Amino acid sequence: MLLGLHTYSFHLHGMGQNWGGHTLSWPRVMDIFKLMDWAVDNGLDGLHITAVDCESTDAAQLTKIKDAAKDHGLYLEYNFSLDEEFDPRLTHTLEQGIKIAHALGTDIGKVSLDLRRPRPLCASRHHPDIMKQLIHIAKLTQKVVPLLENTGVKLAFENHTESFASEILWLLDEVNHASVGACVDTVNSVMVLEDPMTAIENLAPRSFTNHFCDHRIERDQFGCKFTGVACGDGDIDLKKALQIFKETSSMNRINIEVEWDAGDDGPETARKKEYEAVVKSIQYCRNVLNI
């Protein structure tokens, strides 16, 4: 399998996207071209990128990025959202996202559904409000099927932080097209209180791509905190996840995603820790998982 990196892994360096309503106030210290150089130097095979990394989605810039990736021998996958709550720079229509992915020369357009869930959360799987949103997205997807066929791009709907695996599968069944599948994130299902390993097992056979991520559950006086760590340092069974991918899916790429929280650290310390977590994740995937 090939090994790539989701650019959000360097979000404290200014890549990927802002998250959780927090706008990074620190100056950006990395761009997509520097990251490509770094990826090659660190033995990676590709990058999973966003509009934030592209800086502009005009034709000239997308061609420049496409050519640079080709020169570096890197695959690209394009990550976008339908209604990104925390960073609107990622929001595209399906048609826009597919066209950008095609212009970048990638075969994958990963989509976050950005569902707005009702409460109580524990009772909201396939809630009527959710089904209305999924039906709408299914209709939008059916309209772009000819564009998928013409461009060769595949849409991969992610079990993002507001989606149950079964809701993603419902959407895929409703659209029922070979170019429409899933992106399985190894962590996100916890955000809707779903067993991540069950979600991985259910989504992997229908997935075109993945976010290979690890988090640790830390107990504290308020209950617990679910926080991003380097791959192999957390409570997600990544060895089992990889085995499931190999045995049940056609995926031939692993996209590392590190979700490092700056906490109370300043820019220099936070970026150093994020960087070390990314390097440790690559080493874990290469040396322990033998990817």
Side-chain angles (χ1 to χ4, degrees):
M1 296 182 101
L2 301 177
L3 186 64
L5 185 75
H6 187 335
T7 55
Y8 184 69
S9 301
F10 280 125
H11 76 104
L12 298 180
H13 289 67
M15 306 300 289
Q17 71 173 104
N18 297 326
W19 183 244
H22 171 70
T23 300
L24 191 68
S25 58
W26 309 334
R28 189 174 187 174
V29 295
M30 184 182 287
D31 64 23
I32 189 63
F33 303 107
K34 290 180 181 177
L35 184 54
M36 286 185 189
D37 292 339
W38 187 91
V40 171
D41 291 343
N42 286 270
L44 292 174
D45 302 303
L47 295 171
H48 186 89
I49 73 173
T50 72
V52 173
D53 308 307
C54 296
E55 298 186 60
S56 168
T57 56
D58 65 43
Q61 178 71 351
L62 296 178
T63 298
K64 184 178 179 181
I65 294 170
K66 174 184 176 180
D67 291 344
K70 184 177 180 180
D71 291 343
H72 284 77
L74 297 170
Y75 71 78
L76 294 179
E77 296 181 357
Y78 189 62
N79 180 320
F80 69 100
S81 300
L82 295 183
D83 186 15
E84 169 52 47
E85 183 176 5
F86 300 120
D87 193 337
R89 294 175 295 177
L90 270 66
T91 297
H92 303 316
T93 66
L94 289 175
E95 182 178 5
Q96 289 170 334
I98 294 166
K99 288 181 176 179
I100 292 170
H102 182 57
L104 287 167
T106 179
D107 57 339
I108 297 290
K110 191 246 77 174
V111 188
S112 298
L113 301 181
D114 306 297
L115 303 175
R116 302 298 190 252
R117 302 206 74 84
R119 291 186 183 275
L121 179 63
C122 292
S124 67
R125 187 193 303 262
H126 296 273
H127 186 281
D129 291 350
I130 293 298
M131 296 312 298
K132 289 179 183 177
Q133 296 173 65
L134 290 174
I135 290 169
H136 176 66
I137 294 169
K139 291 178 179 178
L140 294 177
T141 306
Q142 288 163 341
K143 290 180 180 179
V144 299
V145 162
L147 182 60
L148 294 174
E149 294 174 341
N150 290 336
T151 60
V153 173
K154 294 182 178 180
L155 283 183
F157 289 112
E158 180 188 3
N159 59 319
H160 202 237
T161 55
E162 75 298 311
S163 305
F164 286 91
S166 60
E167 294 167 348
I168 300 295
L169 295 176
W170 182 92
L171 177 60
L172 302 189
D173 289 339
E174 185 72 8
V175 177
N176 190 27
H177 193 275
S179 295
V180 180
C183 168
V184 53
D185 186 294
T186 56
V187 162
N188 279 346
S189 291
V190 175
M191 310 302 179
V192 288
L193 306 180
E194 180 176 22
D195 179 351
M197 302 314 298
T198 299
I200 291 167
E201 289 175 352
N202 290 337
L203 288 173
R206 307 286 293 275
S207 291
F208 297 146
T209 189
N210 57 80
H211 294 165
F212 204 66
C213 189
D214 206 354
H215 275 47
R216 179 183 289 275
I217 299 173
E218 300 283 5
R219 296 177 61 208
D220 60 26
Q221 69 270 35
F222 302 109
C224 67
K225 180 181 180 181
F226 193 55
T227 187
V229 293
C231 291
D233 283 352
D235 292 310
I236 304 297
D237 191 343
L238 291 182
K239 292 182 180 179
K240 182 177 180 181
L242 180 62
Q243 181 181 358
I244 292 169
F245 290 176
K246 289 181 175 180
E247 292 179 353
T248 69
S249 82
S250 60
M251 291 183 289
N252 66 347
R253 303 167 182 164
I254 295 295
N255 292 314
I256 293 169
E257 181 180 14
V258 175
E259 298 186 345
W260 194 262
D261 182 0
D264 296 326
D265 292 330
E268 184 176 348
T269 300
R271 286 172 177 155
K272 181 176 183 292
K273 290 180 179 179
E274 180 182 65
Y275 181 93
E276 290 172 348
V278 173
V279 171
K280 188 173 185 179
S281 297
I282 295 171
Q283 293 172 343
Y284 174 80
C285 289
R286 290 299 193 198
N287 301 331
V288 177
L289 299 184
N290 298 313
I291 298 172

